Amino acid sequence: SGFVTARRIATVSSKITGRVAEVRIEEGMRVEEGQVLARLDAVDARAQLALADAQRAASESQLAEARAQLLLAESMLARQQELLARQLAAPAALDQARADRDARAARLASLGKAVEVARRQQDLARLGLEHTEVRAPFAGVIVAKAAQPGEMVSPLSAGGGFTRTGIGTLVDMDSL
């Protein structure tokens, strides 16, 4: 006599703490790798993504404005150089135009970095939205359904509270 056990078994949990909005599994159900098993409430994650989208748009708008201002400053510098060459302007005016151009170039570089930060925040917000979906790590059969819509789930142990640590238990029947 003996026991047949699976080599791969996992309690599937979310990557974040949240309220279960939808559970798409039942005991005995066969699932494929990557299949959505449950969804968490995504209201906060969607709001974060919308905010990140708006911040990126604002940063890109400021960058476009800075480019236009730099072009104007370069034009003013060229004009001051021409006037100085004809001795129609003071050297201080040329120095001021050069300083203005340099300051606008530095602002353009700074805003370029701000756009990059906004893009990365947007990527992070998209990742947060993706984490509201609980997916199967491998193909197998659901042997236990642990969570219901409305319950809280967390990847960490709740310490005796009412928060579940998993959505369900998945077994790879090909690894018996």
Side-chain angles (χ1 to χ4, degrees):
S1 65
F3 295 97
V4 176
T5 59
R7 291 184 187 189
R8 283 203 322 179
I9 185 168
T11 299
V12 182
S13 183
S14 64
K15 292 183 178 181
I16 59 172
T17 299
R19 185 171 307 280
V20 178
E22 175 185 16
V23 179
R24 296 179 162 191
I25 58 171
E26 293 297 332
E27 291 178 359
M29 182 176 168
R30 176 165 279 289
V31 296
E32 297 301 319
E33 181 177 344
Q35 181 177 336
V36 176
L37 306 180
R39 292 184 195 278
L40 303 182
D41 184 8
V43 171
D44 293 342
R46 283 192 195 100
Q48 286 291 334
L49 181 57
L51 177 62
D53 290 343
Q55 287 173 332
R56 179 176 175 183
S59 294
E60 288 174 344
S61 176
Q62 289 174 345
L63 184 64
E65 178 186 352
R67 281 191 186 115
Q69 288 177 352
L70 179 60
L71 287 175
L72 177 61
E74 287 173 345
S75 174
M76 293 298 288
L77 177 61
R79 193 170 301 130
Q80 286 299 322
Q81 287 172 333
E82 183 182 321
L83 289 173
L84 186 63
R86 289 200 255 159
Q87 296 183 349
L88 296 173
L94 178 64
D95 293 341
Q96 179 61 42
R98 186 172 287 125
D100 186 46
R101 190 256 340 248
D102 293 346
R104 293 187 188 278
R107 177 164 165 69
L108 182 67
S110 174
L111 288 172
K113 297 291 184 188
V115 167
E116 182 60 30
V117 168
R119 284 184 186 135
R120 290 179 187 220
Q121 286 176 332
Q122 199 176 29
D123 292 342
L124 190 61
R126 276 194 201 99
L127 186 62
L129 186 58
E130 287 176 19
H131 286 171
T132 63
E133 292 183 340
V134 180
R135 296 183 178 272
F138 53 85
V141 175
I142 300 295
V143 295
K145 178 179 174 182
Q148 298 294 328
E151 290 184 313
M152 292 296 291
V153 292
S154 174
L156 307 173
S157 177
F162 294 104
T163 303
R164 299 236 183 237
T165 56
I167 299 294
T169 304
L170 178 63
V171 174
D172 180 2
M173 292 300 187
D174 293 335
S175 70
L176 298 178

